[in-house]
Amino acid sequence: MKLTSKQRAYLKGLASTLNPVFQIGKASLTPEVTQAVEEGFHTRELVKITVLKNCVDDPREIASMLAERTHATVVQVIGKKIVLYRQDKDNPKILLPL
């Protein structure tokens, strides 16, 4: 899903109040982490992830790989924080501006 700058700004505003739900540590992006994020999208559409300091991989690379594996969209990567968005097909909770 391709987001416009207006939609991205709206999602960034929503994500600013969220606490990170997942943490990626020194093992980096494992299948278990990917599965946990996938399950996280069952209950919410916007997921915030923290990359810990002991992880040597680049957060932007982790974000793009995680988005590809979970069929989500990268909203933003700031420092060690990643925000991903995937719209719920059955019952969308976040209505994006046009």
Side-chain angles (χ1 to χ4, degrees):
M1 174 180 198
K2 188 71 175 163
L3 296 174
T4 65
S5 60
K6 192 175 196 178
Q7 292 170 335
R8 190 176 306 276
Y10 177 72
L11 291 173
K12 285 180 185 181
L14 292 177
S16 67
T17 61
L18 289 178
N19 290 324
V21 181
F22 301 104
Q23 295 179 341
I24 298 176
K26 68 180 179 180
S28 190
L29 193 57
T30 61
E32 292 81 14
V33 171
T34 305
Q35 182 62 33
V37 172
E38 179 70 35
E39 290 172 4
F41 280 122
H42 293 300
T43 57
R44 58 186 55 130
E45 294 178 310
L46 203 57
V47 175
K48 194 172 195 178
I49 303 162
T50 300
V51 179
L52 299 177
K53 291 181 182 177
N54 60 359
C55 182
V56 296
D57 292 336
D58 181 38
R60 291 191 187 279
E61 291 178 16
I62 292 173
S64 65
M65 288 183 356
L66 199 53
E68 181 182 321
R69 292 178 186 175
T70 60
H71 306 289
T73 303
V74 177
V75 175
Q76 72 177 353
V77 179
I78 294 182
K80 299 264 186 184
K81 305 276 191 225
I82 300 169
V83 178
L84 298 176
Y85 171 75
R86 185 173 80 184
Q87 187 175 18
D88 190 352
K89 291 176 178 42
D90 300 329
N91 186 17
K93 297 174 188 104
I94 300 175
L95 299 175
L96 295 176
L98 298 174

